[in-house]
Amino acid sequence: MAERRLFEDVADTIRRLILDGTYPPGTRLPGERELSERFEVSRVTIREAEIALQATGWIHIRTGAGAYVEAVLPGDNAILPKVSAFELTEARSLFEAEAAALAAPTISSETLEKLDELLALMADDSKSEEEISAIDREFHMTIAAASSNKAIIHVIESLWRMRMELPEVRSSHSLVCRKDGAARQAEHADVVAALRNRDATGARLAMRRHFNRLLESMLDETEERAMVELRRQSAESRQRYLLSAKLA
């Protein structure tokens, strides 16, 4: 996981250097050795970063000739900001709660039926974690679309890109969602119930409760991991001390 994050960081840095003119469109990137020295990473990491950049349309790799910046760039919207899972969840709470409130007065019966179907799919224990994440996204984006506010829809789509594509955010959500599936299901059902009642205030509060519980779970998970790491370091220190004592 750490190596994967590293090449993604390098790919993002190269994108920014392309955008600021350090490596203009149509020019050849420095060789793997030069880039690995510049970024202080292995040549394997550089190679993986270049493959990722080629896959997203930023460069093309010519066998035996190196990597070249594309003449026409895909745009900087492909770059996601580095945010923590806490920052992202806080932002989602703000925007998605208001989207639910906007959707409540005018949401259609067809949209409510779709939300009911998605709730049933999320309750299916046979679904994989990836499938549940995709269904979860569709659930939230369906509510966003029902707000009929294109600006809010765009923002929430961008927030979901961060949720699904940023490795650290995805990992944090995965750890929490494995433990809190039942709570998440109940919270989603509360949101749908408020929408069905055309209750804007209730929908807003239900969505906020959903994200507040998610934030609390993330904090608990972070504390738990910190304690595990502290115990590991303590055990290592104890072993070193006992070994030193024996040698003395």
Side-chain angles (χ1 to χ4, degrees), residues 80-210:
L80 294 174
K82 293 180 182 178
V83 301
S84 70
F86 296 103
E87 291 174 309
L88 178 59
T89 303
E90 190 174 48
R92 286 184 60 199
S93 178
L94 292 171
F95 284 97
E96 296 204 37
E98 292 310 309
L102 284 173
T106 58
I107 194 166
S108 68
S109 298
E110 291 76 15
T111 300
L112 288 168
E113 288 177 6
K114 181 178 180 180
L115 291 173
D116 286 337
E117 292 171 2
L118 292 170
L119 280 175
L121 288 172
M122 278 188 278
D124 186 348
D125 292 335
S126 68
K127 299 291 184 186
S128 68
E129 187 175 317
E130 291 75 16
E131 289 174 319
I132 293 296
S133 292
I135 297 166
D136 188 27
R137 179 188 183 281
E138 187 176 358
F139 178 88
H140 284 273
M141 287 309 307
T142 298
I143 295 173
S147 75
S148 301
N149 184 307
K150 293 179 181 178
I152 288 179
I153 295 168
H154 174 75
V155 170
I156 293 175
E157 283 179 340
S158 298
L159 294 173
W160 265 95
R161 273 199 64 210
M162 297 178 213
R163 158 70 178 85
M164 302 295 279
E165 297 179 26
L166 293 176
E168 291 185 11
V169 172
R170 192 170 61 243
S171 175
S172 180
H173 274 271
S174 177
L175 290 170
V176 170
C177 291
R178 288 173 195 166
K179 300 179 179 179
D180 291 348
R184 179 182 57 192
Q185 185 75 4
E187 291 156 3
H188 284 163
D190 288 344
V191 173
V192 174
L195 291 171
R196 181 168 280 109
N197 291 331
R198 305 294 192 269
D199 180 358
T201 299
R204 179 188 292 113
L205 292 175
M207 191 67 83
R208 283 183 180 171
R209 282 194 296 270
H210 171 51

Side-chain angles (χ1 to χ4, degrees), residues 199-230:
D199 180 358
T201 299
R204 179 188 292 113
L205 292 175
M207 191 67 83
R208 283 183 180 171
R209 282 194 296 270
H210 171 51
F211 285 111
N212 286 343
R213 195 270 313 161
L214 182 56
L215 281 168
E216 290 177 1
S217 296
M218 285 179 176
L219 286 169
D220 290 343
E221 183 64 35
T222 299
E223 290 174 357
E224 183 178 328
R225 280 184 285 171
M227 288 300 297
V228 169
E229 177 62 17
L230 184 61

Side-chain angles (χ1 to χ4, degrees), residues 43-113:
R43 293 178 68 172
V44 171
T45 299
I46 295 297
R47 199 169 303 128
E48 291 176 336
E50 289 183 344
I51 290 171
L53 289 167
Q54 178 170 252
T56 50
W58 287 85
I59 68 172
H60 59 278
I61 301 170
R62 300 177 187 173
T63 304
Y68 289 78
V69 181
E70 290 286 2
V72 179
L73 302 178
D76 64 354
N77 63 334
I79 301 176
L80 294 174
K82 293 180 182 178
V83 301
S84 70
F86 296 103
E87 291 174 309
L88 178 59
T89 303
E90 190 174 48
R92 286 184 60 199
S93 178
L94 292 171
F95 284 97
E96 296 204 37
E98 292 310 309
L102 284 173
T106 58
I107 194 166
S108 68
S109 298
E110 291 76 15
T111 300
L112 288 168
E113 288 177 6

